[in-house]
Amino acid sequence: MTLWIIGHNFRFEMENLCRLFVPREKIVVKTADHEEASSCAGGSEAGIVAAALLRREGDHVRVRCRVSLEDFDETAEDELAAGQADDRCELRMAQLLYGLLSRLFGYTHDWGIVTGVRPVKLLRRMTRESGPEAAAAWFRDQLLVADGKLSLCRETLAREDRVLALSRPDSFSLYISIPFCPTRCDYCSFVSQTVVRAARLIPEYVELLAQEIARTGEIARRLGLRLETVYFGGGTPTTLSAEQLTLLLKTVERSFDLTRLREYTVEAGRPDTVTEEKLRALKATGVSRISINPQTLSDRVLEAIGRRHTAAQFDEAFRLARQCGFRHINTDLIAGLPQDDEEGFRRSLEGIIDRGPESITVHALAMKRASNLVVERRTMASEDETRRTAVAMVADSRRRLESAGYGPYYFYRQSRSAGNQENTGWCRPGYEGLYNVFIMDETHTILACGAGAVTKLKQPGGEYIERIFNYKFPYEYNRGFAEMMARKERVTGFYEENPAETRPEAGTDQPAGGTGPGGIC
């Protein structure tokens, strides 16, 4: 697909909007001056050609979009007053381009022109500024969001707000990255390495990670920050041995004040890494929430996505977790997996519900460019079939989960997701994953340790966020450890520039607000 950008700087939003309709196709973006506009769309380029033009003409601004493919060649345009802000021009351009693409492809998306990761955060901001009914009307009439997705936003917003009220401007969460997996799933694009390839790196990585955790704890204590949640993610943290896990967990225990900790999560994601010894190590050091994630209960689909475990292994891991005393277990499923269908997904979902986890996360398959499915061009259903199947799966999951007593407590969106669907966390009342809500809303500071981890410093009582990046790969992390420890000193500088006087006195529970994503959403 070719996209022409003419007379404006709205490239990011227009390109993302096109990607809603061609998630597997490369989009070539070209720019032109106004004088060249007439020769752009409908020119010599093969495939779909789209053009988005903005021209200021005296007392008005002309917004025009054109989409062509073979016999289809349509244009849509509008005039706005010259004083209109850029965001209004961008919004109108998105509406026009979306309308043309919808006519070309013959369908609309439930999320309309929303392309951002955090629709709930946008709805929260607009509700605060204009009230709930005006915010809902804006989503429906301007962003073209379907009623079903709007109601999901509103339900999630209500649950999230109860969680966000727990946070204070001096609150923070701790994230610890374990970027290793037993094997790499074909849909995965995370920076993680298989144990077979990275085994020699792990002992040194664990030793250095313990040092980073200890140093981060020193900084947090000196600044008087209040730890709310701890999250071990990856990768698959339970790829490590019980001894290595215990070392890291004990380091957290020694380095941080855990007396007010609300949640302690470890992703035990791959059932084939879960053992009784590891579970007892987690339980003994205060872990309160774990994730065991089959993604599907079909052995045929598991094999198709390179997932080297069986549904029976998931059952055994789940049984062991209950036996070891875990009372909050999360389980993940993915809608739109290769070789899965609506009936197979329904069986997996009902099987998970029957096992009774406290929370269930339903993801829509994202076709990421670095995944094996994309890199190796694995055989999949057609794009249209994948879209229709994923939409039906996600809609069915909502009906069945709500009937089973689960409610949505957070969700987010990803680019190139099957059917342009969202990833939603569902839970029984009182079992919200607090860390998930805090990080998705960008509520408070996240101090992050390990390869690929990103510390996000949230201004106390404000909205500014500053990031500190660790090296991505384990070998870089091990080699550049001293440099990362030097970067971590910026945490102290950040809080010196945003002094404690801006925070409420201890004992108050004022949530740290947030801003909506840039652009349209």
Side-chain angles (χ1 to χ4, degrees):
M1 178 178 185
T2 302
L3 170 65
W4 284 92
I5 300 295
I6 306 166
H8 59 87
N9 60 356
F10 306 147
R11 168 180 173 163
F12 179 79
E13 195 62 43
M14 298 309 115
E15 184 178 357
N16 282 341
L17 192 62
C18 290
R19 189 166 288 116
L20 299 181
F21 292 88
V22 289
R24 303 183 195 176
E25 191 172 322
K26 182 179 180 181
I27 300 174
V28 177
V29 181
K30 299 182 179 181
T31 59
D33 295 330
H34 291 157
E35 290 73 18
E36 301 172 296
S38 60
S39 63
C40 294
S44 60
E45 294 94 345
I48 304 168
V49 181
L53 175 147
L54 186 145
R55 177 181 293 140
R56 301 190 184 278
E57 302 174 344
D59 62 352
H60 67 272
V61 177
R62 183 173 301 280
V63 178
R64 178 186 298 132
C65 294
R66 182 180 177 186
V67 173
S68 62
L69 174 67
E70 299 175 350
D71 294 337
F72 183 96
D73 189 349
E74 293 192 14
T75 300
E77 63 180 273
D78 197 5
E79 289 185 3
L80 305 176
Q84 292 288 338
D86 282 352
D87 58 354
R88 177 59 188 169
C89 295
E90 181 182 39
L91 175 65
R92 188 65 185 125
M93 183 177 290
Q95 292 168 343
L96 295 176
L97 181 58
Y98 174 80
L100 294 174
L101 290 168
S102 296
R103 288 199 287 279
L104 171 63
F105 283 91
Y107 62 84
T108 59
H109 285 292
D110 286 346
W111 281 109
I113 64 172
V114 173
T115 60
V117 173
R118 300 175 172 89
V120 175
K121 188 172 183 180
L122 177 63
L123 182 63
R124 177 177 294 108
R125 186 189 71 188
M126 298 184 72
T127 298
R128 186 169 59 242
E129 293 173 354
S130 306
E133 295 311 314
W138 181 268
F139 262 60
R140 186 184 301 109
D141 301 335
Q142 300 298 319
L143 301 183
L144 311 179
V145 176
D147 286 342
K149 297 305 183 186
L150 176 56
S151 68
L152 177 66
C153 273
R154 299 180 84 172
E155 290 175 32
T156 305
L157 175 65
R159 286 174 176 264
E160 279 193 1
D161 280 351
R162 292 194 289 270
V163 174
L164 300 181
L166 301 174
S167 178
R168 314 181 332 171
D170 59 343
S171 294
F172 79 102
S173 291
L174 174 67
Y175 177 81
I176 297 171
S177 170
I178 310 296
F180 306 103
C181 285
T183 60
R184 181 172 178 172
C185 302
D186 288 342
Y187 55 78
C188 182
S189 65
F190 288 111
V191 180
S192 59
Q193 295 188 333
T194 64
V195 171
V196 173
R197 296 183 59 185
R200 62 183 179 81
L201 299 173
I202 293 177
E204 182 182 9
Y205 180 84
V206 171
E207 179 182 338
L208 293 175
L209 179 57
Q211 293 180 35
E212 184 182 8
I213 292 169
R215 180 59 186 142
T216 303
E218 291 174 9
I219 294 170
R221 286 200 309 273
R222 186 174 68 246
L223 293 170
L225 300 180
R226 171 183 172 129
L227 182 58
E228 303 284 353
T229 68
V230 177
Y231 195 101
F232 273 70
T236 306
T238 44
T239 299
L240 301 182
S241 69
E243 293 77 17
Q244 290 167 332
L245 286 169
T246 298
L247 170 63
L248 296 176
L249 293 162
K250 288 289 188 182
T251 302
V252 171
E253 186 177 62
R254 289 193 302 270
S255 305
F256 293 88
D257 178 4
L258 305 182
T259 58
R260 290 171 291 190
L261 190 68
R262 299 180 187 274
E263 177 185 88
Y264 200 150
T265 298
V266 172
E267 288 188 0
R270 289 279 294 262
D272 47 334
T273 67
V274 176
T275 66
E276 183 174 354
E277 183 183 18
K278 293 177 186 179
L279 289 170
R280 294 201 181 281
L282 301 182
K283 191 65 177 175
T285 45
V287 174
S288 59
R289 180 180 183 270
I290 61 171
S291 292
I292 306 175
N293 304 327
Q295 313 302 4
T296 173
L297 295 184
S298 166
D299 287 344
R300 177 176 59 85
V301 177
L302 286 168
E303 183 178 359
I305 60 176
R307 194 95 168 159
R308 301 293 185 254
H309 66 81
T310 64
Q313 285 176 293
F314 164 72
D315 278 335
E316 176 61 13
F318 196 93
R319 183 192 66 80
L320 279 175
R322 288 294 195 221
Q323 179 180 304
C324 291
F326 285 97
R327 296 294 173 259
H328 188 170
I329 302 176
N330 176 78
T331 297
D332 285 8
L333 290 176
I334 298 179
L337 289 172
Q339 298 193 28
D340 205 0
D341 56 24
E342 292 177 45
E343 178 61 24
F345 182 79
R346 181 192 61 77
R347 287 196 299 269
S348 292
L349 180 60
E350 290 187 344
I352 293 297
I353 291 173
D354 287 344
R355 288 159 176 81
E358 285 66 37
S359 55
I360 299 172
T361 306
V362 177
H363 296 265
L365 176 67
M367 295 295 293
K368 296 301 186 180
R369 286 173 293 181
S371 69
N372 291 340
L373 285 175
V374 174
V375 172
E376 300 176 11
R377 299 182 181 274
R378 300 288 179 84
T379 300
M380 292 186 64
S382 69
E383 193 170 302
D384 188 59
E385 183 181 349
T386 299
R387 175 186 62 81
R388 287 186 285 104
T389 300
V391 169
M393 288 174 171
V394 170
D396 187 53
S397 70
R398 182 177 182 182
R399 289 191 295 269
R400 294 182 186 279
L401 286 164
E402 288 179 337
S403 295
Y406 293 84
Y409 74 90
Y410 93 114
F411 73 82
Y412 63 100
R413 292 164 34 80
Q414 289 179 284
S415 176
R416 297 183 175 88
S417 289
N420 191 31
Q421 296 299 292
E422 65 283 348
N423 305 327
T424 304
W426 299 83
C427 71
R428 297 191 186 280
Y431 287 96
E432 292 81 4
L434 307 184
Y435 175 85
N436 292 329
V437 177
F438 290 146
I439 193 169
M440 195 50 54
D441 179 71
E442 299 176 312
T443 308
H444 57 228
T445 285
I446 307 290
L447 298 182
C449 302
V454 180
T455 288
K456 296 182 180 180
L457 302 171
K458 177 70 180 288
Q459 181 184 39
E463 300 183 348
Y464 172 70
I465 293 175
E466 184 175 321
R467 291 167 172 79
I468 304 172
F469 295 87
N470 280 5
Y471 288 118
K472 286 187 176 181
F473 296 98
Y475 73 88
E476 294 176 312
Y477 180 90
N478 291 358
R479 187 172 59 199
F481 186 75
E483 163 64 20
M484 286 186 302
M485 290 303 93
R487 294 179 191 176
K488 200 127 232 168
E489 294 306 312
R490 173 57 191 155
V491 176
T492 299
F494 178 88
Y495 278 97
E496 287 175 348
E497 294 165 13
N498 297 274
E501 299 89 79
T502 64
R503 294 180 243 165
E505 295 181 2
T508 62
D509 286 319
Q510 176 183 328
T515 60
I520 292 172
C521 180

